[in-house]
Amino acid sequence: MPETIKQYPDPDKPVHIVFVGAGAVGCFYASRLHHPSKNIHVSLIARSNYKALLDNGVKLQTHSFGDYTFTPHAVFPNVAAAASAPVQQWDYVVVTTKALPDRGDDSALIAPLIGPNSCIVLIQNGVGVEAPYRTRFPSTPIISAVTVVSAEQISQGVIRQNRWTRIHLGPYSNSASFDSSTPITKDRDEAPPSATTTPKVESTGDLTPTGSPPSPSPSSSAPSHHKLTDSDLALQQRGYDLAARLTSYLVHLGSVRDAHLSSESHLQLIRWHKLCINAAFNPCSVLSGGIGNADMVRDPELRLFLSAIMYEIWDAAPLILGLPKGEGFEKDPKGFATPEKILKSTERNVGSKPSMLLDWEAGRPLELEVIVGNPVRIARGRGVEMPRLQGVYALLRSMQSVRERRKREGKL
């Protein structure tokens, strides 16, 4: 039975939301949250498309809501301009940029926007993305969000949404930290030191999780291996309440019917499930020489390797999160597509290239750390090894390093 999202009354005072990153995903969700008549005002911080957004707003061509134009409350060319804007405070600071912790610290970038009553929202790929923000802002509520929306910017300021609008939001206290003080393998009687599993192959299924989580309770949302202090619990409760309000805005005002409110542990499980897809298909598309999604799964050897990586993550995630036996992906088989179902569904994804391959072909930095490096390090810190994923990380990290060195030396 679908969860019921509480509907909040219109706010008495203006709620100001700023999106850091005006790409396809950011512009799409910003457009669904902007309701000036309800006292909710959304602004954008843009880079290359700043002038187009300033002059014409955001033109959206959507599968779900038709075509429309979103005129933001304000458009800023940089964080400094947004920080000096005449608003009492930024209530929600939503980060939708690519997570590149090896290239810079985005938590430092947004620091001028964060006030005593601000909330940080992270709509980014990978795992461990929250850790730098929690370190820099120990008393600021953080909402972690996972989306599977399919959207692209087809020209400056023109966004096309192709499929899906699904987004999960939940509070974050400290569950994705790199703390290794309590290796969780000792808490699971069946847990091996390695999460390797023999690949399986099946024939039907969906690409993405389709179910809704049960209505969560913030008091039970911390992974079992992480002991929360009173201040952690208070911060988590604030984050949960703010996530509930933001989810309500998306559902009841923005008509995003598949926006879901999650507990912290369930949200992190969703992050790791999406990682089953991203950490397999993204790096392998580069390492295989530039092969797209459908072609990879149609190659028997590549399919076996993709399946092995996916099951390595599938088996490791509940251990890493310290979940009791039976509380992992298998508890909600309708909500979490199995690796074999994802592989079968991907056969139809002809012509599609993973984002990492597109970045590699364009010479852009890769989201290597949050999609591949962080999972390996977090798992190792919790006493779980993922040898296949570690091998992929080592090879791709070396490839990127060699290419950048050759570029500096003028050999490319």
Side-chain angles (χ1 to χ4, degrees):
M1 186 175 182
E3 63 188 324
T4 300
I5 301 297
K6 173 185 175 181
Q7 184 166 5
Y8 289 80
D10 297 346
D12 296 329
K13 297 179 180 179
V15 172
H16 284 285
I17 303 171
V18 63
F19 275 69
V20 183
V25 171
C27 283
F28 174 74
Y29 283 114
S31 76
R32 306 316 303 170
L33 283 169
H34 184 58
H35 301 282
S37 64
K38 303 293 186 180
N39 233 355
I40 302 170
H41 309 273
V42 178
S43 299
L44 300 174
I45 298 175
R47 293 180 184 174
S48 60
N49 57 357
Y50 167 71
K51 190 175 186 308
L53 301 186
L54 184 66
D55 292 344
N56 306 308
V58 184
K59 299 184 184 303
L60 291 112
Q61 303 170 5
T62 77
H63 171 78
S64 304
F65 305 101
D67 296 351
Y68 61 97
T69 298
F70 158 49
T71 303
H73 178 75
V75 181
F76 303 104
N78 50 52
V79 167
S84 60
V87 298
Q88 185 175 2
Q89 73 164 0
W90 291 113
D91 297 282
Y92 291 94
V93 178
V94 186
V95 182
T96 57
T97 55
K98 286 196 173 184
L100 301 169
D102 52 328
R103 302 305 166 111
D105 185 355
D106 284 342
S107 71
L109 174 70
I110 70 166
L113 304 172
I114 306 301
N117 296 307
S118 297
C119 176
I120 298 168
V121 184
L122 303 175
I123 308 178
Q124 296 181 301
N125 283 329
V127 296
V129 295
E130 308 93 345
Y133 297 88
R134 173 52 65 230
T135 300
R136 185 173 295 276
F137 307 107
S139 59
T140 299
I142 293 176
I143 296 171
S144 189
V146 180
T147 180
V148 292
V149 66
S150 173
E152 57 183 326
Q153 185 166 209
I154 57 177
S155 62
Q156 294 283 296
V158 181
I159 307 300
R160 180 165 62 201
Q161 179 248 342
N162 301 308
R163 296 178 65 189
W164 308 309
T165 59
R166 190 174 308 119
I167 185 169
H168 293 260
L169 304 100
Y172 175 80
S173 59
N174 201 25
S175 59
S177 73
F178 290 73
D179 175 30
S180 60
S181 60
T182 310
I184 48 77
T185 48
K186 13 172 150 170
D187 298 329
R188 304 260 303 210
D189 53 8
E190 87 290 4
S194 169
T196 304
T197 296
T198 302
K200 311 180 189 76
V201 177
E202 205 175 89
S203 61
T204 60
D206 298 319
L207 176 62
T208 54
T210 55
S212 303
S215 296
S217 166
S219 61
S220 62
S221 61
S224 60
H225 67 273
H226 180 63
K227 295 179 180 179
L228 294 179
T229 65
D230 289 343
S231 60
D232 285 336
L233 289 170
L235 189 60
Q236 190 179 84
Q237 182 65 60
R238 283 180 64 202
Y240 182 85
D241 293 342
L242 289 164
R245 191 174 292 272
L246 196 64
T247 307
S248 177
Y249 295 159
L250 282 168
V251 171
H252 297 294
L253 301 181
S255 299
V256 180
R257 301 302 179 191
D258 49 358
H260 302 293
L261 178 63
S262 295
S263 67
E264 181 165 343
S265 60
H266 191 86
L267 194 284
Q268 291 300 319
L269 196 61
I270 292 169
R271 275 201 177 277
W272 282 87
H273 183 265
K274 187 175 181 181
L275 193 76
C276 286
I277 303 169
N278 282 343
F281 284 90
N282 273 285
C284 286
S285 65
V286 178
L287 292 171
S288 62
I291 299 178
N293 291 319
D295 289 334
M296 281 193 289
V297 299
R298 289 174 177 174
D299 180 291
E301 293 298 327
L302 278 174
R303 189 184 186 111
L304 281 172
F305 189 62
L306 289 167
S307 178
I309 292 175
M310 294 168 82
Y311 270 106
E312 188 170 82
I313 298 168
W314 179 277
D315 292 341
L319 303 176
I320 293 163
L321 295 173
L323 299 176
K325 186 178 180 180
E327 293 293 315
F329 300 117
E330 70 276 9
K331 185 179 180 181
D332 186 12
K334 291 184 178 179
F336 293 111
T338 60
E340 56 265 20
K341 289 182 178 180
I342 294 167
L343 290 166
K344 182 62 181 178
S345 178
T346 305
E347 293 174 4
R348 304 191 298 269
N349 203 9
V350 178
S352 172
K353 291 183 176 182
S355 60
M356 194 176 283
L357 177 57
L358 295 174
D359 287 338
W360 178 262
E361 291 176 340
R364 294 187 293 261
L366 306 181
E367 286 187 294
L368 181 61
E369 297 305 327
V370 296
I371 292 178
V372 192
N374 279 1
V376 170
R377 286 186 290 270
I378 292 172
R380 186 175 293 150
R382 304 282 167 79
V384 180
E385 291 295 331
M386 293 194 288
R388 289 187 180 89
L389 195 61
Q390 190 278 329
V392 165
Y393 173 58
L395 290 170
L396 196 53
R397 184 170 176 267
S398 177
M399 281 180 63
Q400 180 171 255
S401 177
V402 168
R403 185 170 73 166
E404 290 177 349
R405 186 180 70 248
R406 288 177 175 172
K407 187 176 181 180
R408 288 193 303 270
E409 295 171 351
K411 295 180 180 179
L412 285 181

